[in-house]
Amino acid sequence: MSELSVLVLGLLFGHLDSQKSIRRVMPITIFLSLAYCVAQGTLEGLYHKDYFTADVYLHGGMVFSLSSAVFFFVVYVSVTLLCWLPVHRCGLHVPEKKAFYVYTCLFSIVNLLQAVGSSL
């Protein structure tokens, strides 16, 4: 879930560089991480009815891996496209550092590869 923290920090508070911005990001990240873990646990319980012989290391199974990889791919591609869209006219503050967009582009490729691998 560290990639989610970096994404939230960069998008919502990328224009701030203080400890206050990090404290503001933590509740958002905790809430999103909790939702992610609940979805993972739910899929683990739905697809593995035999609780006593279920493999503990499945982490939600192939369905969860595919759905989370596709979700993060769409999110990272959307964030990567923000640098070319005129969102500053809407009053949104997007990160101006090129390294953040390189990070999102690389992780979109990684998640695309993970989605392709999960679907096989």
Side-chain angles (χ1 to χ4, degrees):
M1 295 313 310
S2 62
E3 61 182 288
L4 191 60
S5 300
V6 170
L7 199 60
V8 169
L9 182 64
L11 282 178
L12 298 181
F13 302 101
H15 58 285
L16 302 173
D17 288 327
S18 67
Q19 285 186 343
K20 258 188 186 177
S21 62
I22 294 173
R23 287 188 199 134
R24 291 178 189 166
V25 167
M26 290 309 294
I28 297 169
T29 305
I30 289 170
F31 175 74
L32 292 174
S33 297
L34 179 64
Y36 187 81
C37 291
V38 166
Q40 182 179 6
T42 302
L43 285 173
E44 182 77 31
L46 287 177
Y47 288 105
H48 302 288
K49 296 292 183 186
D50 191 11
Y51 297 110
F52 297 109
T53 62
D55 190 4
V56 180
Y57 300 104
L58 287 177
H59 303 292
M62 186 177 67
V63 174
F64 180 74
S65 178
L66 177 65
S67 60
S68 65
V70 168
F71 171 74
F72 280 118
F73 170 72
V74 169
V75 167
Y76 278 121
V77 167
S78 302
V79 170
T80 304
L81 293 176
L82 282 178
C83 66
W84 291 299
L85 297 174
V87 293
H88 61 277
R89 293 181 190 163
C90 301
L92 295 175
H93 297 285
V94 294
E96 296 177 5
K97 295 180 181 177
K98 183 181 175 182
F100 180 74
Y101 294 107
V102 170
Y103 168 83
T104 58
C105 183
L106 288 174
F107 266 91
S108 66
I109 293 169
V110 166
N111 281 301
L112 176 64
L113 292 174
Q114 184 180 355
V116 168
S118 295
S119 64
L120 296 175

